[in-house]
Amino acid sequence: MLKRNGSVLGCLEAERVALLRLKDAFNHPNGSSLLPSWQGHGDCCTWERVICDNSTKRVTYLLLNYTRPHVLSNLQWSLNASHFLPFHELQGLDLSGNFMSALLGTLKLNNLQKLSFSNNMLTKVPSFGGNLLTNDKPLNGAQMLEGLVLDLLGWRIP
């Protein structure tokens, strides 16, 4: 994170690097991307589909819906949950419409409130590090989760 006179000028370096890794995961096999503003430099808080907290400059929302090119819809594709580990303040994650067959690993985002997997090709419910509900507490890996959308599986957990 860049600072001048005590004020934050840009996003956290670890989050910027993680976003670039996510971009690589979403890219077409030929290298083309639907995330042209995501470059190796600059403030990732100004990138499309990224929303940051104004004061801390931490990423709070990733709107990655329909990011994977439709031409790849016939290719089985999965995403590793570890890509999201650097986003400690992430509150919303939209992965809708990416033709994803699986989210590999465990999604551990304690501040997550909104999560959408609609219009994917998931073959199972992603792991959150525990049972979906334990003692009336939501998902162990996302204690603040208010909504989970898994439309293709026909499930909606309010």
Side-chain angles (χ1 to χ4, degrees):
M1 182 176 348
L2 302 172
K3 289 187 178 186
R4 183 186 308 148
N5 299 332
S7 62
V8 177
L9 297 177
C11 63
L12 223 61
E13 177 70 10
E15 291 184 344
R16 188 181 60 74
V17 169
L19 287 169
L20 292 172
R21 287 188 182 131
L22 264 174
K23 177 184 177 180
D24 288 342
F26 277 91
N27 278 355
H28 189 287
N30 72 10
S32 65
S33 172
L34 295 177
L35 299 167
S37 68
W38 293 27
Q39 300 297 319
H41 55 280
D43 180 4
C44 65
C45 291
T46 64
W47 295 356
E48 61 191 306
R49 299 172 176 260
V50 176
I51 299 172
C52 296
D53 179 274
N54 287 333
S55 60
T56 65
K57 297 296 186 179
R58 299 293 304 250
V59 174
T60 53
Y61 291 88
L62 287 175
L63 307 174
L64 299 173
N65 49 314
Y66 300 92
T67 303
R68 187 104 163 127
H70 187 269
V71 69
L72 300 177
S73 64
N74 61 336
L75 298 176
Q76 201 169 48
W77 176 74
S78 59
L79 186 62
N80 197 308
S82 66
H83 285 297
F84 300 102
L85 288 175
F87 305 109
H88 300 285
E89 300 302 318
L90 196 65
Q91 297 172 27
L93 177 59
D94 190 348
L95 294 169
S96 303
N98 285 303
F99 317 105
M100 190 179 354
S101 60
L103 182 68
L104 305 174
T106 302
L107 193 60
K108 296 180 182 176
L109 297 168
N110 291 333
N111 291 309
L112 198 63
Q113 297 172 18
K114 306 275 185 205
L115 175 61
S116 181
F117 286 106
S118 65
N119 297 316
N120 277 293
M121 299 182 293
L122 296 176
T123 56
K124 65 177 189 171
V125 177
S127 173
F128 297 94
N131 297 325
L132 281 178
L133 294 173
T134 14
N135 299 329
D136 295 327
K137 294 180 184 172
L139 312 170
N140 289 347
Q143 283 84 11
M144 301 187 61
L145 194 66
E146 295 172 1
L148 172 62
V149 180
L150 298 166
D151 288 348
L152 195 60
L153 294 173
W155 296 348
R156 183 173 179 90
I157 300 171

